[in-house]
Amino acid sequence: MKQLVQSDAWAIQEKLKAEIDNTARRHILVKFWHNGVIAIQFGIRRGSGELGHGYIPKEMKISQKQCREFRQCSISVEAYVEILKSKGLIA
């Protein structure tokens, strides 16, 4: 399975309509809020678009396959929120 790269990370951020925090030095932080709390947060590496972002599934609390499906729109934002709820990570 192809590793996630910067363009994938930005597509995930856009799909989640997640907040961008540009104050960190090494990464641009992406924060997904749900019911007033940060549900997940991950960093997008600055620099080359080909840098690997294979850590994003772990930060999103889903499998590599689920993350790829989310990126490719097989999993909706609503379905992703249900996954997080089923794991007890959000209310």
Side-chain angles (χ1 to χ4, degrees):
M1 189 177 296
K2 183 180 155 200
Q3 185 175 16
L4 296 170
V5 294
Q6 191 180 62
S7 60
D8 297 315
W10 283 116
I12 290 168
Q13 178 275 325
E14 187 174 317
K15 184 172 178 176
L16 288 170
K17 294 181 177 38
E19 175 185 317
I20 297 170
D21 180 350
N22 223 353
T23 60
R25 191 168 183 195
R26 290 189 171 178
H27 292 80
I28 298 165
L29 295 178
V30 173
K31 299 176 183 181
F32 174 61
W33 293 79
H34 181 73
N35 290 338
V37 296
I38 296 174
I40 62 146
Q41 174 177 297
F42 63 87
I44 298 177
R45 292 180 171 156
R46 299 179 188 271
S48 170
E50 293 305 310
L51 288 174
H53 285 71
Y55 54 87
I56 291 177
K58 182 179 177 185
E59 298 295 320
M60 289 181 69
K61 314 290 192 247
I62 55 177
S63 71
Q64 183 83 1
K65 181 181 182 232
Q66 287 173 315
C67 191
R68 179 70 54 198
E69 289 173 349
F70 182 79
R71 161 67 172 104
Q72 295 168 344
C73 297
S74 299
I75 296 177
S76 67
V77 174
E78 295 79 15
Y80 173 64
V81 167
E82 288 304 316
I83 291 169
L84 295 180
K85 285 180 179 180
S86 73
K87 293 181 177 189
L89 299 170
I90 58 175

mmCIF file of all heavy atoms in Angstrom, residues 34-85:
data_model
loop_
_atom_site.group_PDB
_atom_site.id
_atom_site.type_symbol
_atom_site.label_atom_id
_atom_site.label_comp_id
_atom_site.label_asym_id
_atom_site.label_seq_id
_atom_site.Cartn_x
_atom_site.Cartn_y
_atom_site.Cartn_z
ATOM 1 N N HIS A 34 -14.614 18.075 17.779
ATOM 2 C CA HIS A 34 -15.933 17.437 17.808
ATOM 3 C C HIS A 34 -16.566 17.759 19.160
ATOM 4 O O HIS A 34 -15.976 17.490 20.209
ATOM 5 C CB HIS A 34 -15.818 15.930 17.609
ATOM 6 C CG HIS A 34 -17.139 15.240 17.597
ATOM 7 N ND1 HIS A 34 -18.014 15.342 16.546
ATOM 8 C CD2 HIS A 34 -17.750 14.476 18.530
ATOM 9 C CE1 HIS A 34 -19.098 14.657 16.821
ATOM 10 N NE2 HIS A 34 -18.969 14.112 18.021
ATOM 11 N N ASN A 35 -17.745 18.350 19.133
ATOM 12 C CA ASN A 35 -18.466 18.732 20.359
ATOM 13 C C ASN A 35 -17.605 19.566 21.307
ATOM 14 O O ASN A 35 -17.598 19.336 22.520
ATOM 15 C CB ASN A 35 -19.017 17.501 21.078
ATOM 16 C CG ASN A 35 -20.146 16.858 20.314
ATOM 17 O OD1 ASN A 35 -20.799 17.488 19.492
ATOM 18 N ND2 ASN A 35 -20.379 15.581 20.574
ATOM 19 N N GLY A 36 -16.857 20.506 20.740
ATOM 20 C CA GLY A 36 -16.096 21.450 21.560
ATOM 21 C C GLY A 36 -14.760 20.965 22.095
ATOM 22 O O GLY A 36 -14.114 21.678 22.861
ATOM 23 N N VAL A 37 -14.345 19.744 21.725
ATOM 24 C CA VAL A 37 -13.032 19.243 22.159
ATOM 25 C C VAL A 37 -12.255 18.739 20.941
ATOM 26 O O VAL A 37 -12.843 18.344 19.933
ATOM 27 C CB VAL A 37 -13.149 18.105 23.207
ATOM 28 C CG1 VAL A 37 -13.780 18.601 24.487
ATOM 29 C CG2 VAL A 37 -13.914 16.939 22.669
ATOM 30 N N ILE A 38 -10.937 18.736 21.068
ATOM 31 C CA ILE A 38 -10.105 18.212 19.987
ATOM 32 C C ILE A 38 -10.220 16.697 19.998
ATOM 33 O O ILE A 38 -9.829 16.042 20.960
ATOM 34 C CB ILE A 38 -8.635 18.649 20.135
ATOM 35 C CG1 ILE A 38 -8.524 20.168 20.023
ATOM 36 C CG2 ILE A 38 -7.767 17.973 19.078
ATOM 37 C CD1 ILE A 38 -7.137 20.717 20.292
ATOM 38 N N ALA A 39 -10.776 16.146 18.920
ATOM 39 C CA ALA A 39 -10.944 14.697 18.811
ATOM 40 C C ALA A 39 -9.633 14.053 18.378
ATOM 41 O O ALA A 39 -9.236 13.021 18.908
ATOM 42 C CB ALA A 39 -12.055 14.361 17.830
ATOM 43 N N ILE A 40 -8.995 14.658 17.372
ATOM 44 C CA ILE A 40 -7.690 14.178 16.905
ATOM 45 C C ILE A 40 -6.845 15.360 16.493
ATOM 46 O O ILE A 40 -7.358 16.451 16.223
ATOM 47 C CB ILE A 40 -7.791 13.200 15.707
ATOM 48 C CG1 ILE A 40 -8.426 13.878 14.492
ATOM 49 C CG2 ILE A 40 -8.508 11.927 16.093
ATOM 50 C CD1 ILE A 40 -7.885 13.424 13.184
ATOM 51 N N GLN A 41 -5.549 15.113 16.424
ATOM 52 C CA GLN A 41 -4.599 16.126 15.974
ATOM 53 C C GLN A 41 -3.457 15.401 15.282
ATOM 54 O O GLN A 41 -3.010 14.357 15.749
ATOM 55 C CB GLN A 41 -4.092 16.899 17.193
ATOM 56 C CG GLN A 41 -2.993 17.877 16.903
ATOM 57 C CD GLN A 41 -2.613 18.655 18.152
ATOM 58 O OE1 GLN A 41 -3.429 19.369 18.687
ATOM 59 N NE2 GLN A 41 -1.388 18.481 18.618
ATOM 60 N N PHE A 42 -3.028 15.931 14.148
ATOM 61 C CA PHE A 42 -1.842 15.379 13.493
ATOM 62 C C PHE A 42 -1.066 16.501 12.835
ATOM 63 O O PHE A 42 -1.572 17.605 12.647
ATOM 64 C CB PHE A 42 -2.196 14.273 12.489
ATOM 65 C CG PHE A 42 -3.054 14.700 11.318
ATOM 66 C CD1 PHE A 42 -2.474 15.213 10.167
ATOM 67 C CD2 PHE A 42 -4.423 14.557 11.353
ATOM 68 C CE1 PHE A 42 -3.257 15.584 9.076
ATOM 69 C CE2 PHE A 42 -5.218 14.923 10.279
ATOM 70 C CZ PHE A 42 -4.624 15.436 9.139
ATOM 71 N N GLY A 43 0.178 16.225 12.503
ATOM 72 C CA GLY A 43 1.031 17.223 11.882
ATOM 73 C C GLY A 43 1.229 16.953 10.402
ATOM 74 O O GLY A 43 1.266 15.811 9.967
ATOM 75 N N ILE A 44 1.336 18.035 9.654
ATOM 76 C CA ILE A 44 1.699 17.948 8.245
ATOM 77 C C ILE A 44 3.107 18.510 8.140
ATOM 78 O O ILE A 44 3.360 19.660 8.515
ATOM 79 C CB ILE A 44 0.728 18.738 7.345
ATOM 80 C CG1 ILE A 44 -0.685 18.156 7.462
ATOM 81 C CG2 ILE A 44 1.206 18.716 5.895
ATOM 82 C CD1 ILE A 44 -1.740 18.897 6.665
ATOM 83 N N ARG A 45 4.016 17.682 7.662
ATOM 84 C CA ARG A 45 5.411 18.091 7.570
ATOM 85 C C ARG A 45 5.576 19.230 6.574
ATOM 86 O O ARG A 45 4.986 19.230 5.503
ATOM 87 C CB ARG A 45 6.275 16.913 7.124
ATOM 88 C CG ARG A 45 6.363 15.840 8.154
ATOM 89 C CD ARG A 45 7.230 14.714 7.663
ATOM 90 N NE ARG A 45 7.469 13.794 8.759
ATOM 91 C CZ ARG A 45 7.771 12.535 8.606
ATOM 92 N NH1 ARG A 45 7.912 12.024 7.400
ATOM 93 N NH2 ARG A 45 7.975 11.774 9.649
ATOM 94 N N ARG A 46 6.390 20.180 6.955
ATOM 95 C CA ARG A 46 6.729 21.265 6.044
ATOM 96 C C ARG A 46 7.767 20.735 5.062
ATOM 97 O O ARG A 46 8.465 19.784 5.337
ATOM 98 C CB ARG A 46 7.306 22.445 6.810
ATOM 99 C CG ARG A 46 6.342 23.030 7.821
ATOM 100 C CD ARG A 46 6.983 24.178 8.571
ATOM 101 N NE ARG A 46 6.153 24.618 9.671
ATOM 102 C CZ ARG A 46 5.214 25.551 9.578
ATOM 103 N NH1 ARG A 46 4.975 26.124 8.426
ATOM 104 N NH2 ARG A 46 4.517 25.901 10.631
ATOM 105 N N GLY A 47 7.870 21.322 3.913
ATOM 106 C CA GLY A 47 8.891 20.899 2.952
ATOM 107 C C GLY A 47 8.300 20.115 1.803
ATOM 108 O O GLY A 47 7.158 20.295 1.422
ATOM 109 N N SER A 48 9.095 19.212 1.301
ATOM 110 C CA SER A 48 8.750 18.450 0.106
ATOM 111 C C SER A 48 7.419 17.727 0.250
ATOM 112 O O SER A 48 7.129 17.110 1.269
ATOM 113 C CB SER A 48 9.847 17.420 -0.187
ATOM 114 O OG SER A 48 9.417 16.536 -1.187
ATOM 115 N N GLY A 49 6.635 17.776 -0.810
ATOM 116 C CA GLY A 49 5.356 17.086 -0.829
ATOM 117 C C GLY A 49 5.481 15.580 -0.842
ATOM 118 O O GLY A 49 4.511 14.862 -0.642
ATOM 119 N N GLU A 50 6.672 15.077 -1.100
ATOM 120 C CA GLU A 50 6.881 13.627 -1.162
ATOM 121 C C GLU A 50 7.321 13.028 0.166
ATOM 122 O O GLU A 50 7.534 11.831 0.251
ATOM 123 C CB GLU A 50 7.903 13.296 -2.257
ATOM 124 C CG GLU A 50 7.401 13.609 -3.654
ATOM 125 C CD GLU A 50 6.067 12.929 -3.988
ATOM 126 O OE1 GLU A 50 5.939 11.716 -3.777
ATOM 127 O OE2 GLU A 50 5.159 13.634 -4.441
ATOM 128 N N LEU A 51 7.463 13.859 1.205
ATOM 129 C CA LEU A 51 7.822 13.325 2.514
ATOM 130 C C LEU A 51 6.700 12.431 3.013
ATOM 131 O O LEU A 51 5.524 12.764 2.879
ATOM 132 C CB LEU A 51 8.050 14.456 3.521
ATOM 133 C CG LEU A 51 9.309 15.288 3.336
ATOM 134 C CD1 LEU A 51 9.311 16.456 4.325
ATOM 135 C CD2 LEU A 51 10.554 14.445 3.531
ATOM 136 N N GLY A 52 7.059 11.304 3.586
ATOM 137 C CA GLY A 52 6.065 10.365 4.073
ATOM 138 C C GLY A 52 5.280 10.897 5.261
ATOM 139 O O GLY A 52 5.824 11.603 6.109
ATOM 140 N N HIS A 53 4.014 10.572 5.305
ATOM 141 C CA HIS A 53 3.128 10.941 6.398
ATOM 142 C C HIS A 53 2.426 9.685 6.923
ATOM 143 O O HIS A 53 1.242 9.691 7.223
ATOM 144 C CB HIS A 53 2.105 11.982 5.926
ATOM 145 C CG HIS A 53 2.676 13.347 5.752
ATOM 146 N ND1 HIS A 53 3.540 13.661 4.727
ATOM 147 C CD2 HIS A 53 2.532 14.462 6.480
ATOM 148 C CE1 HIS A 53 3.886 14.932 4.833
ATOM 149 N NE2 HIS A 53 3.281 15.442 5.888
ATOM 150 N N GLY A 54 3.180 8.601 7.017
ATOM 151 C CA GLY A 54 2.638 7.315 7.426
ATOM 152 C C GLY A 54 2.135 7.258 8.850
ATOM 153 O O GLY A 54 1.446 6.318 9.236
ATOM 154 N N TYR A 55 2.441 8.269 9.651
ATOM 155 C CA TYR A 55 2.004 8.318 11.040
ATOM 156 C C TYR A 55 0.551 8.796 11.180
ATOM 157 O O TYR A 55 -0.052 8.679 12.238
ATOM 158 C CB TYR A 55 2.912 9.263 11.847
ATOM 159 C CG TYR A 55 3.019 10.636 11.245
ATOM 160 C CD1 TYR A 55 2.092 11.631 11.549
ATOM 161 C CD2 TYR A 55 4.011 10.938 10.328
ATOM 162 C CE1 TYR A 55 2.153 12.872 10.964
ATOM 163 C CE2 TYR A 55 4.094 12.181 9.746
ATOM 164 C CZ TYR A 55 3.158 13.151 10.065
ATOM 165 O OH TYR A 55 3.243 14.380 9.478
ATOM 166 N N ILE A 56 -0.031 9.344 10.132
ATOM 167 C CA ILE A 56 -1.367 9.937 10.223
ATOM 168 C C ILE A 56 -2.438 8.925 10.643
ATOM 169 O O ILE A 56 -3.260 9.244 11.510
ATOM 170 C CB ILE A 56 -1.741 10.686 8.928
ATOM 171 C CG1 ILE A 56 -0.861 11.942 8.823
ATOM 172 C CG2 ILE A 56 -3.215 11.058 8.900
ATOM 173 C CD1 ILE A 56 -1.065 12.757 7.567
ATOM 174 N N PRO A 57 -2.473 7.700 10.111
ATOM 175 C CA PRO A 57 -3.505 6.756 10.586
ATOM 176 C C PRO A 57 -3.471 6.552 12.099
ATOM 177 O O PRO A 57 -4.520 6.536 12.748
ATOM 178 C CB PRO A 57 -3.180 5.467 9.839
ATOM 179 C CG PRO A 57 -2.489 5.928 8.595
ATOM 180 C CD PRO A 57 -1.690 7.133 9.017
ATOM 181 N N LYS A 58 -2.283 6.439 12.661
ATOM 182 C CA LYS A 58 -2.153 6.257 14.106
ATOM 183 C C LYS A 58 -2.713 7.478 14.839
ATOM 184 O O LYS A 58 -3.431 7.343 15.828
ATOM 185 C CB LYS A 58 -0.693 6.027 14.485
ATOM 186 C CG LYS A 58 -0.492 5.791 15.959
ATOM 187 C CD LYS A 58 0.962 5.543 16.278
ATOM 188 C CE LYS A 58 1.140 5.382 17.779
ATOM 189 N NZ LYS A 58 2.543 5.252 18.144
ATOM 190 N N GLU A 59 -2.392 8.663 14.349
ATOM 191 C CA GLU A 59 -2.880 9.888 14.976
ATOM 192 C C GLU A 59 -4.402 10.024 14.817
ATOM 193 O O GLU A 59 -5.059 10.613 15.671
ATOM 194 C CB GLU A 59 -2.185 11.111 14.371
ATOM 195 C CG GLU A 59 -0.680 11.149 14.582
ATOM 196 C CD GLU A 59 -0.291 11.272 16.042
ATOM 197 O OE1 GLU A 59 -0.941 12.025 16.766
ATOM 198 O OE2 GLU A 59 0.674 10.601 16.447
ATOM 199 N N MET A 60 -4.935 9.495 13.716
ATOM 200 C CA MET A 60 -6.386 9.539 13.490
ATOM 201 C C MET A 60 -7.108 8.408 14.212
ATOM 202 O O MET A 60 -8.326 8.339 14.181
ATOM 203 C CB MET A 60 -6.698 9.479 11.991
ATOM 204 C CG MET A 60 -6.339 10.738 11.243
ATOM 205 S SD MET A 60 -6.759 10.640 9.487
ATOM 206 C CE MET A 60 -8.568 10.665 9.554
ATOM 207 N N LYS A 61 -6.354 7.502 14.839
ATOM 208 C CA LYS A 61 -6.901 6.380 15.612
ATOM 209 C C LYS A 61 -7.646 5.372 14.742
ATOM 210 O O LYS A 61 -8.621 4.752 15.163
ATOM 211 C CB LYS A 61 -7.837 6.877 16.724
ATOM 212 C CG LYS A 61 -7.313 8.024 17.541
ATOM 213 C CD LYS A 61 -6.165 7.608 18.425
ATOM 214 C CE LYS A 61 -5.855 8.691 19.453
ATOM 215 N NZ LYS A 61 -4.601 9.341 19.308
ATOM 216 N N ILE A 62 -7.164 5.206 13.491
ATOM 217 C CA ILE A 62 -7.751 4.230 12.572
ATOM 218 C C ILE A 62 -6.622 3.470 11.876
ATOM 219 O O ILE A 62 -5.461 3.863 11.958
ATOM 220 C CB ILE A 62 -8.683 4.898 11.529
ATOM 221 C CG1 ILE A 62 -7.963 6.001 10.759
ATOM 222 C CG2 ILE A 62 -9.951 5.419 12.200
ATOM 223 C CD1 ILE A 62 -8.795 6.664 9.661
ATOM 224 N N SER A 63 -6.987 2.406 11.179
ATOM 225 C CA SER A 63 -5.989 1.601 10.474
ATOM 226 C C SER A 63 -5.508 2.318 9.211
ATOM 227 O O SER A 63 -6.155 3.263 8.732
ATOM 228 C CB SER A 63 -6.583 0.247 10.092
ATOM 229 O OG SER A 63 -7.546 0.411 9.061
ATOM 230 N N GLN A 64 -4.411 1.836 8.675
ATOM 231 C CA GLN A 64 -3.876 2.375 7.415
ATOM 232 C C GLN A 64 -4.924 2.244 6.308
ATOM 233 O O GLN A 64 -5.129 3.170 5.535
ATOM 234 C CB GLN A 64 -2.592 1.620 7.043
ATOM 235 C CG GLN A 64 -1.898 2.125 5.810
ATOM 236 C CD GLN A 64 -0.994 3.313 6.080
ATOM 237 O OE1 GLN A 64 -0.849 3.773 7.205
ATOM 238 N NE2 GLN A 64 -0.373 3.813 5.046
ATOM 239 N N LYS A 65 -5.594 1.088 6.267
ATOM 240 C CA LYS A 65 -6.626 0.846 5.252
ATOM 241 C C LYS A 65 -7.788 1.819 5.411
ATOM 242 O O LYS A 65 -8.260 2.406 4.435
ATOM 243 C CB LYS A 65 -7.121 -0.601 5.349
ATOM 244 C CG LYS A 65 -8.177 -0.945 4.327
ATOM 245 C CD LYS A 65 -8.631 -2.383 4.484
ATOM 246 C CE LYS A 65 -9.664 -2.681 3.406
ATOM 247 N NZ LYS A 65 -10.863 -3.235 3.904
ATOM 248 N N GLN A 66 -8.264 2.001 6.643
ATOM 249 C CA GLN A 66 -9.362 2.931 6.888
ATOM 250 C C GLN A 66 -8.968 4.362 6.527
ATOM 251 O O GLN A 66 -9.768 5.104 5.971
ATOM 252 C CB GLN A 66 -9.807 2.878 8.351
ATOM 253 C CG GLN A 66 -10.565 1.629 8.720
ATOM 254 C CD GLN A 66 -10.830 1.565 10.204
ATOM 255 O OE1 GLN A 66 -9.941 1.821 11.019
ATOM 256 N NE2 GLN A 66 -12.053 1.203 10.565
ATOM 257 N N CYS A 67 -7.735 4.723 6.821
ATOM 258 C CA CYS A 67 -7.257 6.063 6.509
ATOM 259 C C CYS A 67 -7.239 6.282 4.997
ATOM 260 O O CYS A 67 -7.666 7.329 4.494
ATOM 261 C CB CYS A 67 -5.874 6.295 7.108
ATOM 262 S SG CYS A 67 -5.337 8.014 7.052
ATOM 263 N N ARG A 68 -6.754 5.298 4.267
ATOM 264 C CA ARG A 68 -6.733 5.380 2.805
ATOM 265 C C ARG A 68 -8.170 5.467 2.267
ATOM 266 O O ARG A 68 -8.459 6.273 1.387
ATOM 267 C CB ARG A 68 -6.008 4.162 2.241
ATOM 268 C CG ARG A 68 -5.904 4.078 0.761
ATOM 269 C CD ARG A 68 -5.008 5.064 0.090
ATOM 270 N NE ARG A 68 -3.663 5.082 0.604
ATOM 271 C CZ ARG A 68 -2.826 6.090 0.396
ATOM 272 N NH1 ARG A 68 -3.199 7.122 -0.315
ATOM 273 N NH2 ARG A 68 -1.628 6.082 0.880
ATOM 274 N N GLU A 69 -9.084 4.680 2.836
ATOM 275 C CA GLU A 69 -10.484 4.729 2.415
ATOM 276 C C GLU A 69 -11.113 6.083 2.742
ATOM 277 O O GLU A 69 -11.904 6.607 1.962
ATOM 278 C CB GLU A 69 -11.284 3.598 3.072
ATOM 279 C CG GLU A 69 -10.937 2.238 2.520
ATOM 280 C CD GLU A 69 -11.587 1.094 3.277
ATOM 281 O OE1 GLU A 69 -12.156 1.311 4.378
ATOM 282 O OE2 GLU A 69 -11.510 -0.047 2.768
ATOM 283 N N PHE A 70 -10.755 6.653 3.892
ATOM 284 C CA PHE A 70 -11.249 7.985 4.246
ATOM 285 C C PHE A 70 -10.748 9.007 3.235
ATOM 286 O O PHE A 70 -11.506 9.830 2.742
ATOM 287 C CB PHE A 70 -10.785 8.356 5.658
ATOM 288 C CG PHE A 70 -11.288 9.695 6.120
ATOM 289 C CD1 PHE A 70 -12.584 9.824 6.584
ATOM 290 C CD2 PHE A 70 -10.476 10.811 6.082
ATOM 291 C CE1 PHE A 70 -13.067 11.063 7.008
ATOM 292 C CE2 PHE A 70 -10.947 12.049 6.497
ATOM 293 C CZ PHE A 70 -12.250 12.165 6.965
ATOM 294 N N ARG A 71 -9.476 8.916 2.901
ATOM 295 C CA ARG A 71 -8.871 9.827 1.921
ATOM 296 C C ARG A 71 -9.565 9.708 0.567
ATOM 297 O O ARG A 71 -9.796 10.695 -0.119
ATOM 298 C CB ARG A 71 -7.378 9.521 1.807
ATOM 299 C CG ARG A 71 -6.651 10.018 0.572
ATOM 300 C CD ARG A 71 -6.585 11.531 0.540
ATOM 301 N NE ARG A 71 -5.735 12.025 -0.514
ATOM 302 C CZ ARG A 71 -6.173 12.556 -1.659
ATOM 303 N NH1 ARG A 71 -7.461 12.641 -1.910
ATOM 304 N NH2 ARG A 71 -5.331 13.019 -2.556
ATOM 305 N N GLN A 72 -9.918 8.484 0.182
ATOM 306 C CA GLN A 72 -10.525 8.234 -1.124
ATOM 307 C C GLN A 72 -12.050 8.364 -1.096
ATOM 308 O O GLN A 72 -12.710 8.046 -2.076
ATOM 309 C CB GLN A 72 -10.140 6.834 -1.616
ATOM 310 C CG GLN A 72 -8.664 6.699 -1.877
ATOM 311 C CD GLN A 72 -8.224 5.258 -2.087
ATOM 312 O OE1 GLN A 72 -8.942 4.320 -1.760
ATOM 313 N NE2 GLN A 72 -7.035 5.095 -2.632
ATOM 314 N N CYS A 73 -12.584 8.823 0.028
ATOM 315 C CA CYS A 73 -14.021 9.096 0.199
ATOM 316 C C CYS A 73 -14.892 7.851 0.313
ATOM 317 O O CYS A 73 -16.112 7.936 0.155
ATOM 318 C CB CYS A 73 -14.540 10.035 -0.876
ATOM 319 S SG CYS A 73 -13.758 11.652 -0.790
ATOM 320 N N SER A 74 -14.310 6.678 0.565
ATOM 321 C CA SER A 74 -15.108 5.482 0.833
ATOM 322 C C SER A 74 -15.693 5.537 2.239
ATOM 323 O O SER A 74 -16.701 4.893 2.526
ATOM 324 C CB SER A 74 -14.263 4.217 0.690
ATOM 325 O OG SER A 74 -13.759 4.115 -0.614
ATOM 326 N N ILE A 75 -15.041 6.285 3.131
ATOM 327 C CA ILE A 75 -15.523 6.502 4.490
ATOM 328 C C ILE A 75 -15.824 7.992 4.626
ATOM 329 O O ILE A 75 -14.957 8.829 4.364
ATOM 330 C CB ILE A 75 -14.481 6.062 5.544
ATOM 331 C CG1 ILE A 75 -14.238 4.553 5.462
ATOM 332 C CG2 ILE A 75 -14.911 6.463 6.944
ATOM 333 C CD1 ILE A 75 -13.170 4.032 6.404
ATOM 334 N N SER A 76 -17.036 8.311 5.046
ATOM 335 C CA SER A 76 -17.439 9.710 5.213
ATOM 336 C C SER A 76 -16.955 10.248 6.558
ATOM 337 O O SER A 76 -16.545 9.481 7.438
ATOM 338 C CB SER A 76 -18.959 9.823 5.140
ATOM 339 O OG SER A 76 -19.542 9.181 6.265
ATOM 340 N N VAL A 77 -17.049 11.552 6.723
ATOM 341 C CA VAL A 77 -16.708 12.169 8.009
ATOM 342 C C VAL A 77 -17.635 11.617 9.091
ATOM 343 O O VAL A 77 -17.184 11.305 10.195
ATOM 344 C CB VAL A 77 -16.786 13.711 7.929
ATOM 345 C CG1 VAL A 77 -16.571 14.335 9.302
ATOM 346 C CG2 VAL A 77 -15.768 14.252 6.934
ATOM 347 N N GLU A 78 -18.905 11.485 8.767
ATOM 348 C CA GLU A 78 -19.872 10.959 9.736
ATOM 349 C C GLU A 78 -19.511 9.533 10.153
ATOM 350 O O GLU A 78 -19.590 9.180 11.334
ATOM 351 C CB GLU A 78 -21.291 11.008 9.162
ATOM 352 C CG GLU A 78 -21.812 12.406 8.916
ATOM 353 C CD GLU A 78 -21.289 13.064 7.638
ATOM 354 O OE1 GLU A 78 -20.729 12.368 6.752
ATOM 355 O OE2 GLU A 78 -21.413 14.296 7.525
ATOM 356 N N ALA A 79 -19.121 8.710 9.187
ATOM 357 C CA ALA A 79 -18.717 7.334 9.496
ATOM 358 C C ALA A 79 -17.433 7.326 10.330
ATOM 359 O O ALA A 79 -17.290 6.502 11.242
ATOM 360 C CB ALA A 79 -18.525 6.536 8.212
ATOM 361 N N TYR A 80 -16.521 8.240 10.038
ATOM 362 C CA TYR A 80 -15.279 8.347 10.816
ATOM 363 C C TYR A 80 -15.597 8.712 12.265
ATOM 364 O O TYR A 80 -15.047 8.113 13.197
ATOM 365 C CB TYR A 80 -14.342 9.378 10.179
ATOM 366 C CG TYR A 80 -13.124 9.667 11.005
ATOM 367 C CD1 TYR A 80 -12.186 8.671 11.266
ATOM 368 C CD2 TYR A 80 -12.909 10.922 11.542
ATOM 369 C CE1 TYR A 80 -11.070 8.923 12.046
ATOM 370 C CE2 TYR A 80 -11.792 11.190 12.313
ATOM 371 C CZ TYR A 80 -10.877 10.189 12.567
ATOM 372 O OH TYR A 80 -9.782 10.446 13.344
ATOM 373 N N VAL A 81 -16.501 9.666 12.466
ATOM 374 C CA VAL A 81 -16.906 10.052 13.820
ATOM 375 C C VAL A 81 -17.512 8.842 14.534
ATOM 376 O O VAL A 81 -17.227 8.611 15.720
ATOM 377 C CB VAL A 81 -17.888 11.248 13.782
ATOM 378 C CG1 VAL A 81 -18.566 11.457 15.134
ATOM 379 C CG2 VAL A 81 -17.152 12.516 13.348
ATOM 380 N N GLU A 82 -18.302 8.040 13.842
ATOM 381 C CA GLU A 82 -18.885 6.833 14.445
ATOM 382 C C GLU A 82 -17.791 5.837 14.840
ATOM 383 O O GLU A 82 -17.914 5.165 15.871
ATOM 384 C CB GLU A 82 -19.904 6.192 13.507
ATOM 385 C CG GLU A 82 -21.193 6.973 13.386
ATOM 386 C CD GLU A 82 -21.879 7.219 14.721
ATOM 387 O OE1 GLU A 82 -21.976 6.284 15.547
ATOM 388 O OE2 GLU A 82 -22.306 8.370 14.951
ATOM 389 N N ILE A 83 -16.741 5.722 14.032
ATOM 390 C CA ILE A 83 -15.611 4.843 14.376
ATOM 391 C C ILE A 83 -14.978 5.305 15.680
ATOM 392 O O ILE A 83 -14.708 4.509 16.581
ATOM 393 C CB ILE A 83 -14.569 4.794 13.234
ATOM 394 C CG1 ILE A 83 -15.137 4.062 12.014
ATOM 395 C CG2 ILE A 83 -13.266 4.144 13.709
ATOM 396 C CD1 ILE A 83 -14.303 4.197 10.754
ATOM 397 N N LEU A 84 -14.735 6.617 15.783
ATOM 398 C CA LEU A 84 -14.142 7.162 17.012
ATOM 399 C C LEU A 84 -15.061 6.937 18.208
ATOM 400 O O LEU A 84 -14.590 6.585 19.297
ATOM 401 C CB LEU A 84 -13.829 8.646 16.843
ATOM 402 C CG LEU A 84 -12.755 9.012 15.810
ATOM 403 C CD1 LEU A 84 -12.565 10.523 15.752
ATOM 404 C CD2 LEU A 84 -11.430 8.318 16.100
ATOM 405 N N LYS A 85 -16.361 7.112 18.012
ATOM 406 C CA LYS A 85 -17.323 6.864 19.095
ATOM 407 C C LYS A 85 -17.305 5.400 19.524
ATOM 408 O O LYS A 85 -17.339 5.092 20.719
ATOM 409 C CB LYS A 85 -18.726 7.267 18.671
ATOM 410 C CG LYS A 85 -18.953 8.756 18.652
ATOM 411 C CD LYS A 85 -20.386 9.071 18.222
ATOM 412 C CE LYS A 85 -20.631 10.555 18.213
ATOM 413 N NZ LYS A 85 -22.019 10.894 17.787
#
